[in-house]
Amino acid sequence: MQISKRIDSLAESQTLQIAARCQQLRAEGVDVIGLSLGEPDFPAPAHVKEAAKAAVDNDFSHYGPVPGFPSLREAIAKTLNEELGERNPQAFNANEIVVSVGAKHCLCNAIETLVGPGDEVILPTPCWVSYVEMVKLAEGKSVLVRTTMENNFCLTAEQLEAAITPRTRLLVLCTPNNPTGSVYSHERLVEIVRVLEKHPEISVISDEIYEHILYTGQHESLGQFASLKDRVVIINGVSKSHAMTGYRIGWLACHDKGFISAVKRLQGQQCTCATTIAQKAAEAAYTGDRTCVETMRQAFERRRDLIVRLAREIDGLKVLEPQGAFYLFPDVSSFFGKSHNGFTVHNANEVVEYLLNEAHVACVSGSAFGEDNCIRLSYATSEDLIIEAMRRIKEALGKLK
């Protein structure tokens, strides 16, 4: 069969590639520690699982409304309004929420709805692997703006202003950030908003899927700014906060009625609705006891402290302490040009290959996220595995001469 150019141009997700390699090596009997996937290792909360079972027993097995069950959307709107609190310029209602098959699906819907052929999308890098590919699907053009470790991997107002052209239609901002763990402060967001206020033609996607995995202060959302309230799309879901990645429930929120209507038309042709059983489980996540969210956050913070301490004991790694999410994104460029057993590493891709083969630790190259000098280590795993993985990494990198 002849594959369309649009699909043929898509890159395979490097995180999923590495995960597949891990599975293959384990099947061959190799003891591989996986620090590649961004997936909490906790089970879903008990009350969520009970809600899913009850949904099966109560025959939630038929089509649901395209944007999601009203009760779920009401629960999401209530939660969102409570989290924004006094900073909320306009309360969200259930009709301004669309539930989709995971936050990834929400992002695809939003980008395809807002971006047309030749439209430019500003993506501060390092950024999540799929943003660029989603823009490709929408036939837009990604404008990659490189941030630096020295600036906490955050976009500056000056960088944003310099990247804007007459074709700019969208800015995608992720905080807390995947892959860096960086968090945008209120002051930094204010500076960015001031630039956007001068360009009313630009919409903004605020990817907040790691909102609840935060180690400093309160979460700062672009949804709090009155001047942008009709052109911000907030993306979130239960995958990271409630360890429900496989349930595939995400949502977007936006005050613009035309945008919401367009997303519903698109989703109605794509998949009709998110899985009804998973929706009822997500409803329980938002209406039930949320102690589990804080319990997991505290565990991630302990793991963050552990992996940062161990990484800083490795000569040659340059480490920035993450403020959110569950990723460490160290600079490994000091190892470029060094060799062991006839294998020379020239870039982050080869550092990842070396660590997989020599240390049997799986991580992801920063090149997948637009930063060629770094690698991403996910600490969404047990403390024992983090300790052993970092021991292996230290030993393997120490062999490079």
Side-chain angles (χ1 to χ4, degrees):
M1 294 183 182
Q2 184 172 335
I3 307 301
S4 74
K5 291 181 180 179
R6 185 177 65 259
I7 300 303
D8 205 37
S9 69
L10 290 180
E12 185 178 355
S13 168
Q14 285 196 35
T15 55
L16 298 181
Q17 271 184 320
I18 292 291
R21 293 257 333 256
C22 282
Q23 290 178 342
Q24 180 183 347
L25 288 170
R26 286 171 182 149
E28 296 170 359
V30 180
D31 176 24
V32 177
I33 299 177
L35 302 184
S36 58
L37 280 180
E39 180 173 45
D41 61 326
F42 301 100
H47 64 285
V48 166
K49 292 190 283 189
E50 289 303 318
K53 295 173 188 175
V56 173
D57 291 338
N58 292 320
D59 295 323
F60 279 91
S61 54
H62 304 286
Y63 292 130
V66 169
F69 287 125
S71 54
L72 172 56
R73 289 184 284 122
E74 287 166 4
I76 291 168
K78 183 176 183 290
T79 301
L80 181 55
N81 291 331
E82 288 173 351
E83 290 172 348
L84 286 169
E86 294 180 355
R87 301 171 296 159
N88 196 354
Q90 178 181 330
F92 286 91
N93 62 61
N95 293 327
E96 296 170 329
I97 309 291
V98 176
V99 176
S100 302
V101 187
K104 182 182 285 189
H105 187 201
C106 295
L107 284 160
C108 272
N109 281 347
I111 290 171
E112 289 186 22
T113 300
L114 294 170
V115 177
D119 288 343
E120 293 180 357
V121 179
I122 295 175
L123 300 174
T125 63
C127 68
W128 181 51
V129 295
S130 294
Y131 292 150
V132 171
E133 306 308 315
M134 291 176 180
V135 173
K136 278 184 191 176
L137 278 174
E139 300 183 48
K141 176 185 176 184
S142 293
V143 177
L144 305 180
V145 181
R146 186 172 183 261
T147 65
T148 64
M149 185 177 285
E150 290 68 30
N151 205 26
N152 197 35
F153 287 124
C154 287
L155 179 73
T156 67
E158 293 76 17
Q159 286 180 307
L160 175 59
E161 187 71 75
I164 292 173
T165 77
R167 297 305 306 262
T168 305
R169 292 294 175 267
L170 182 64
L171 166 68
V172 181
L173 210 63
C174 178
T175 179
N177 183 265
N178 175 10
T180 66
S182 297
V183 171
Y184 281 79
S185 67
H186 181 79
E187 293 72 23
R188 180 62 60 85
L189 288 183
V190 167
E191 294 171 355
I192 288 172
V193 169
R194 285 175 182 158
V195 174
L196 293 171
E197 287 172 344
K198 296 184 289 184
H199 300 275
E201 72 283 3
I202 299 176
S203 300
V204 186
I205 289 177
S206 185
D207 185 349
E208 304 179 12
I209 192 65
Y210 295 96
E211 171 193 1
H212 295 288
I213 307 173
L214 186 67
Y215 315 123
T216 175
Q218 68 177 358
H219 173 66
E220 298 290 346
S221 170
L222 278 169
Q224 70 187 276
F225 297 98
S227 61
L228 300 184
K229 67 180 179 63
D230 294 322
R231 51 190 176 116
V232 170
V233 181
I234 296 174
I235 306 287
N236 214 320
V238 291
S239 288
K240 313 299 183 181
S241 61
H242 288 78
M244 294 171 63
T245 52
Y247 284 72
R248 307 312 301 135
I249 294 293
W251 52 264
L252 60 79
C254 183
H255 289 304
D256 187 283
K257 293 180 181 178
F259 170 80
I260 291 294
S261 176
V263 169
K264 288 193 291 186
R265 291 199 307 273
L266 174 60
Q267 181 156 298
Q269 296 293 351
Q270 286 176 330
C271 66
T272 305
C273 64
T275 302
T276 52
I277 293 165
Q279 285 191 58
K280 299 308 289 184
E283 186 178 329
Y286 283 112
T287 59
D289 183 9
R290 305 188 73 192
T291 306
C292 56
V293 176
E294 175 59 15
T295 299
M296 286 187 279
R297 189 206 66 80
Q298 291 177 9
F300 287 130
E301 186 168 14
R302 291 192 298 271
R303 295 170 182 185
R304 186 276 307 260
D305 294 343
L306 174 63
I307 199 169
V308 167
R309 176 175 62 80
L310 294 174
R312 286 178 171 165
E313 293 174 359
I314 300 175
D315 291 338
L317 283 188
K318 187 177 180 181
V319 177
L320 180 69
E321 182 178 81
Q323 298 171 303
F326 36 64
Y327 307 109
L328 189 69
F329 200 64
D331 186 311
V332 294
S333 59
S334 68
F335 298 99
F336 296 172
K338 295 184 177 182
S339 304
H340 174 65
N341 274 352
F343 184 85
T344 302
V345 298
H346 301 92
N347 51 50
N349 290 343
E350 292 179 355
V351 170
V352 167
E353 185 72 17
Y354 172 74
L355 290 177
L356 185 58
N357 293 328
E358 182 68 25
H360 298 154
V361 175
C363 48
V364 185
S365 171
S367 64
F369 309 97
E371 177 48 69
D372 295 335
N373 290 331
C374 297
I375 61 174
R376 192 190 77 171
L377 306 172
S378 169
Y379 51 91
T381 191
S382 72
E383 293 182 24
D384 287 344
L385 286 176
I386 290 170
I387 291 169
E388 174 60 15
M390 297 308 289
R391 184 196 68 77
R392 294 184 189 184
I393 289 172
K394 182 176 183 179
E395 181 178 313
L397 292 178
K399 296 175 182 177
L400 292 170
K401 305 296 180 184

